[in-house]
Amino acid sequence: MSAVLTAIVALFLIGPVLLSALAGVTANWFLGASAGLTLAWVVKVWDLYAHTIGLSLWLALCCLVCTLLLGVPAAYALARTPSRLARLLEELLTLPVAVPGIATALGLILVWGAVGDFRIHWTFLLIGHVLFTLPFMLRAVLAALRGAELEVLEEAARACGANFRQRFLGVVLPNIRGGILAGALMVTALSIGEFNMTLLLSTPHTMTLPVGLADSYASMRLEVGSAFTLVFLVLLVPPLVAMQALSERLGR
Amino acid sequence: MARRSESAGPFLLRAALLAPALVLLLAFFLLPLAKLAMLGFEGQGYWAAITAPRSLRALRDTVLLSAAVSFSAVALAAVVGHFLARRRFPGRRLLVAMLTLPMAFPGVVVGFLVILLAGRQGLVGSVTEALFGERLVFAYSFAGLFAGYLYFSLPRCIATIMAAAEALDPALEEAARSLGARRWRVVRDVILPGLAPALVASGAICFATAMGALGTAFTLATDTSVLPMLIYTEFTLATNLGVAASLSVLLGATTWVVLALARGASGSLAANA
Amino acid sequence: MSLTALLQNCARSFPDGTRALHPTTLEFAAGSVTALLGPSGCGKTTTLRLLAGLAMPDAGGRVLFDGTDVTGLPVEQRGIGMVFQNYALFPNRDVAGNIGYGLEVRGVPKAERTARVAEMLRLTRLEGLGHRRVDQLSGGQRQRVALARALAPAPRLLLLDEPFGALDARLREALRAELAALLATLRITTIFVTHDQAEAMALGDQVVVMQSGRVLQQGSPRAVYQQPANRFVGQFVGTLNHLGGDRFCRPEALRPDPAGTLGGVVLVSFFEGGHTRLHLRPEVPGAEGEWVLNLGGTVPAAGSRMTLALDSAAVLHLPA
């Protein structure tokens, strides 16, 4: 019985993805796959929405750099401070995940929307993405820092005479690289797909891939939407697969 | 304790490492939220906004939908997660990968998948038309929203519960059986208590995500209006910032209360387990 | 009160075809205490799981309890008691809840259950701990709860998987004596798995020595020690000194004797309290390895030569 239910759930989760991929390369979905296969829709998507793809990839890259620079040192400081204050700060830093994205976006617009041209600059989106993804980086790195016998290793490095910089670069970072990589992949995938916050934050000048997707679903043929979805999945799936492969390797 | 903090270097250094993240949080999260709350509470607007029939209906529907989805997703994921954790069969790893892959699909895409499945030109429609001569279309109703929300909730629940089931000692199940417990007794007395913290935790995350989800409803443009969608229309179409702010506070507060309750429950469950 | 268990021609294969257990027939007499002894991977745990009904034998194998075929019965219907490695106590139930579980599942009324749990608590010297959470118990207490839980439904066959595996050496010995006394009063057919030969010898009135999925020898501890079936058994249950060819002896068969015919050079000695353990390099043609013997009193210094006499009745002829 469990096996049957698992199969049904799998079909429910995987079926629509295959359906969408098929629709994206079908000449006329209404007539069915018999109408022939074509890449015309993908080309059309490229013409219409290439800029959204470019912006999303650029945002994801910048977001990754920011979360690495902000998240890794913060996680290290939190992991090494066994106080109530540190616990509280950790709670606080992971709060943006629990607050609905649209509320955060509204607040950002209220406070910062009228400051110069910030509202129509891509960095406005970046702020939102970093807020939302930082908790995931933080958690992944914290988990790695708290696992492993890192504190003992660090003490061993101190006993060998290593200063803080040498310890952090030579002992800490190499031993938590699995956690950092897992966090990085998660951040990339989440940034590429972020919509709840981005819908309000984006402007006609700053349209990301998911917002473009929503636009195509609302105003284009079904085949165009499918083709765009296909392009999106081709971008999103590699980091996700890498993440799974990594977590399996770390799990063993 | 003293030994621990010594190995971490001086306090100032740690503060310096934390400061940039905290500044970001303060300027771009806490300050905006405070401003939002102030605007939301200003004057009589707050009470009027959240007691408007439209708002109450949206709140009710959103909570109902999120609760139904969380419950279903956790129940399904419990069976699937336990099955995947215990059985070894060829293709298992691929199956696990495919089941958890949709975890990072954004809501808009999920909405579109529901349209492909149950929309006007959807698969369910074609199949039912061929079988019964009538197209079944439910993408744009409450059922369509439910299907979409279930779609993006399942992968995360399965991943969490599968991890918990893998950590559950199989010897406990064998011990119960050796004492005479049949299948359902084992489920009731060993598996469910063992998984309980994970079930509550994943249910809570599921609920919070569903409450705040915007993309799926946006794509489906259903008759049922969920709260985030209402906030969006208030803000963009009616440019009614005060109402949007009030509703955001309502949404955030409801979500937070449920998360806090669940955390308390899962804490006491974990203490008992 | 107890039953005779019989494994008839039972084998167990992994999916890839390798054998965890080669076809094996073993009888466990009613009321006996049997140790399944062997190194890890020898098939002893597989044998125990076949008896429990947690694993099924390959086609052709049968499990019989008092002559009744129970091969098709799953564990929950076999009416056995089992103590698991690391005990597998239910963390969501307190001590009494764990011990009473088997009775609860059988639908025993509450009053009767409470009385039986109290009796088991007394029997295993856990009085007053009934409402303790299982994670607040010491290792020895956990082991006793696991034993009480297995015994509460009055099973006719008791199976124990490495019952002392999770305990430290000193506690092991104390609990071993306790378990031996308990088993002697209960007279339940008992089969336990261990990799520790001292434990097997002390607790079992029968020992089954296994290696690579095969039974090498079944017999009393004395028989297995004094007439091992082959070199592996001889080495696993004690120390063997090689005399050349297929001839071996136990350390106690050698004694210092100026008129003796054997000689050796002392390599090293270990003072072990009651006696001193000597390692010698034999000066006998054909003898391989080192000899070990235990001496009381004064011990010759390393490098000195010793003359030894051999009790010829104690010479063992062992095939490889």
Side-chain angles (χ1 to χ4, degrees):
Chain A
M1 201 200 81
S2 309
V4 175
L5 199 68
T6 304
I8 293 174
V9 168
L11 203 64
F12 173 60
L13 289 176
I14 298 158
V17 179
L18 300 179
L19 212 58
S20 158
L22 185 65
V25 292
T26 303
N28 188 328
W29 185 242
F30 196 67
L31 298 178
S34 56
L37 302 179
T38 174
L39 279 179
W41 305 122
V42 177
V43 173
K44 179 155 188 182
V45 164
W46 190 256
D47 290 342
L48 286 170
Y49 294 109
H51 65 285
T52 71
I53 299 171
L55 177 62
S56 268
L57 290 179
W58 171 244
L59 264 182
L61 180 68
C62 295
C63 182
L64 177 59
V65 172
C66 290
T67 49
L68 282 173
L69 291 178
L70 292 170
V72 177
Y76 177 82
L78 286 177
R80 288 289 177 272
T81 314
S83 71
R84 286 179 63 110
L85 180 70
R87 280 265 154 213
L88 190 78
L89 290 180
E90 188 185 331
E91 276 305 296
L92 213 58
L93 282 165
T94 50
L95 203 57
V97 175
V99 172
I102 192 156
T104 312
L106 211 53
L108 272 176
I109 292 170
L110 277 176
V111 175
W112 297 100
V115 179
D117 285 340
F118 192 21
R119 177 78 177 88
I120 55 167
H121 197 257
W122 62 271
T123 46
F124 198 61
L125 292 178
L126 180 64
I127 294 284
H129 282 217
V130 172
L131 271 180
F132 177 66
T133 54
L134 186 60
F136 292 90
M137 176 65 81
L138 212 55
R139 275 186 203 155
V141 178
L142 269 173
L145 278 165
R146 283 174 183 153
E149 293 184 330
L150 214 57
E151 224 162 325
V152 180
L153 290 182
E154 231 187 311
E155 281 174 5
R158 278 159 72 99
C160 296
N163 64 27
F164 174 75
R165 200 182 57 81
Q166 291 166 323
R167 265 171 10 231
F168 192 77
L169 296 180
V171 176
V172 177
L173 282 186
N175 281 294
I176 58 167
R177 63 178 192 276
I180 294 177
L181 191 53
L185 291 165
M186 189 78 189
V187 164
T188 310
L190 285 173
S191 170
I192 293 179
E194 215 301 317
F195 181 79
N196 291 340
M197 202 184 276
T198 314
L199 179 64
L200 274 197
L201 297 183
S202 76
T203 61
H205 305 276
T206 53
M207 192 193 263
T208 67
L209 205 166
V211 177
L213 271 172
D215 181 71
S216 79
Y217 296 156
S219 56
M220 299 282 159
R221 294 176 60 110
L222 190 74
E223 292 86 347
V224 177
S226 294
F228 200 1
T229 308
L230 187 61
V231 171
F232 171 73
L233 291 179
V234 167
L235 288 178
L236 184 70
V237 167
L240 289 178
V241 169
M243 192 158 70
Q244 277 176 342
L246 181 76
S247 73
E248 257 186 42
R249 231 187 58 202
L250 292 178
R252 253 186 280 129
Chain B
M1 279 296 125
R3 188 188 60 85
R4 288 195 70 178
S5 51
E6 269 168 32
S7 72
F11 175 80
L12 269 180
L13 176 68
R14 275 175 285 152
L17 291 176
L18 258 175
L22 287 177
V23 168
L24 176 90
L25 190 79
L26 190 69
F28 295 108
F29 183 71
L30 297 178
L31 187 65
L33 279 196
K35 176 98 181 185
L36 190 70
M38 269 162 55
L39 183 69
F41 282 119
E42 243 165 40
Q44 86 283 48
Y46 178 67
W47 195 244
I50 67 163
T51 51
R54 211 160 46 111
S55 315
L56 286 180
R57 203 167 49 239
L59 178 66
R60 187 199 64 197
D61 288 350
T62 313
V63 170
L64 264 178
L65 176 67
S66 304
V69 164
S70 310
F71 187 79
S72 315
V74 168
L76 285 173
V79 179
V80 174
H82 187 259
F83 175 81
L84 291 174
R86 281 288 177 271
R87 299 293 180 83
R88 291 291 175 269
F89 49 89
R92 178 183 164 276
R93 278 175 50 183
L94 185 70
L95 185 65
V96 171
M98 296 219 279
L99 285 176
T100 47
L101 199 62
M103 200 184 296
F105 286 8
V108 260
V109 170
V110 175
F112 184 65
L113 295 181
V114 172
I115 290 179
L116 282 177
L117 198 63
R120 278 180 279 275
Q121 300 169 41
L123 184 66
V124 172
S126 308
V127 171
T128 49
E129 189 172 38
L131 288 179
F132 311 111
E134 206 168 317
R135 291 191 82 85
L136 177 64
V137 174
F138 63 81
Y140 317 100
S141 68
F142 192 81
L145 272 183
F146 180 83
Y149 279 48
L150 192 63
Y151 188 96
F152 66 66
S153 303
L154 272 171
R156 193 165 305 220
C157 288
I158 291 175
T160 313
I161 294 173
M162 196 176 96
E166 265 163 8
L168 210 60
D169 185 359
L172 286 177
E173 291 163 43
E174 294 181 351
R177 292 179 59 202
S178 80
L179 291 162
R182 308 285 169 112
R183 189 180 162 77
W184 287 109
R185 288 294 305 228
V186 177
V187 170
R188 201 193 77 182
D189 295 336
V190 177
I191 298 176
L192 283 182
L195 291 182
L199 296 183
V200 174
S202 62
I205 300 280
C206 194
F207 184 85
T209 313
M211 286 292 287
L214 174 63
T216 308
F218 188 84
T219 306
L220 290 175
T222 48
D223 333 325
T224 321
S225 171
V226 292
L227 206 47
M229 212 36 217
L230 188 63
I231 297 172
Y232 176 75
T233 43
E234 283 297 332
F235 176 71
T236 47
L237 302 181
T239 55
N240 200 336
L241 207 57
V243 174
S246 304
L247 293 176
S248 297
V249 172
L250 179 67
L251 179 65
T254 315
T255 311
W256 184 81
V257 166
V258 172
L259 278 181
L261 286 177
R263 176 175 297 204
S266 107
S268 66
L269 281 172
N272 273 326
Chain C
M1 219 19 233
S2 59
L3 55 73
T4 301
L6 177 65
L7 287 181
Q8 209 173 55
N9 199 27
C10 283
R12 171 87 180 157
S13 308
F14 291 116
D16 66 359
T18 56
R19 284 274 169 88
L21 187 69
H22 291 278
T24 297
T25 299
L26 274 174
E27 190 177 89
F28 305 92
S32 65
V33 177
T34 308
L36 298 175
L37 175 67
S40 66
C42 72
K44 56 190 193 296
T45 298
T46 304
T47 307
L48 196 78
R49 291 175 70 86
L50 288 175
L51 284 161
L54 287 167
M56 291 291 156
D58 296 347
R62 297 206 301 160
V63 184
L64 299 148
F65 287 178
D66 273 346
T68 313
D69 190 334
V70 296
T71 316
L73 283 186
V75 58
E76 57 266 33
Q77 291 170 36
R78 287 201 186 178
I80 52 135
M82 184 153 180
V83 173
F84 287 77
Q85 199 172 10
N86 301 318
Y87 316 130
L89 300 180
F90 305 129
N92 53 323
R93 292 170 165 260
D94 61 10
V95 168
N98 265 281
I99 297 175
Y101 185 75
L103 304 167
E104 200 183 311
V105 165
R106 284 168 175 76
V108 174
K110 185 143 188 0
E112 201 180 315
R113 218 160 66 205
T114 315
R116 179 74 178 154
V117 168
E119 188 190 333
M120 294 317 300
L121 286 170
R122 211 163 38 243
L123 191 67
T124 49
R125 301 196 300 103
L126 289 166
E127 294 106 321
L129 296 181
H131 296 292
R132 197 65 80 78
R133 288 170 37 149
V134 293
D135 56 6
Q136 294 171 331
L137 301 176
S138 69
Q141 287 168 335
R142 292 167 70 84
Q143 197 240 22
R144 296 210 293 267
V145 173
L147 189 63
R149 182 177 72 178
L151 290 173
R156 295 164 67 213
L157 177 63
L158 179 64
L159 305 172
L160 305 102
D161 190 0
E162 296 276 3
F164 306 101
L167 304 172
D168 61 59
R170 194 169 288 272
L171 200 55
R172 271 167 180 247
E173 280 190 32
L175 284 173
R176 192 196 291 166
E178 211 172 273
L179 183 61
L182 190 65
L183 291 177
T185 56
L186 293 172
R187 314 279 324 147
I188 301 177
T189 313
T190 304
I191 300 159
F192 71 99
V193 157
T194 181
H195 62 267
D196 179 343
Q197 52 92 15
E199 204 167 284
M201 304 281 223
L203 214 50
D205 44 43
Q206 289 282 304
V207 177
V208 175
V209 185
M210 302 183 69
Q211 186 203 16
S212 313
R214 291 180 206 277
V215 171
L216 300 181
Q217 190 170 10
Q218 179 177 20
S220 69
R222 193 167 291 275
V224 169
Y225 185 79
Q226 290 178 345
Q227 289 112 38
N230 61 23
R231 276 174 220 180
F232 177 84
V233 176
Q235 264 155 1
F236 201 78
V237 301
T239 306
L240 282 183
N241 294 330
H242 189 217
L243 301 168
D246 67 346
R247 296 164 66 246
F248 293 84
C249 73
R250 294 291 183 198
E252 57 272 17
L254 291 172
R255 61 178 191 282
D257 186 342
T261 54
L262 304 176
V265 175
V266 178
L267 293 171
V268 65
S269 65
F270 302 101
F271 179 64
E272 292 183 349
H275 61 265
T276 301
R277 195 170 177 81
L278 278 184
H279 287 235
L280 296 107
R281 191 178 67 239
E283 294 186 327
V284 172
E288 287 164 14
E290 293 173 8
W291 285 353
V292 172
L293 70 158
N294 297 323
L295 288 184
T298 52
V299 173
S304 57
R305 195 171 177 284
M306 284 180 82
T307 314
L308 301 163
L310 174 68
D311 174 5
S312 56
V315 173
L316 305 167
H317 293 271
L318 301 179

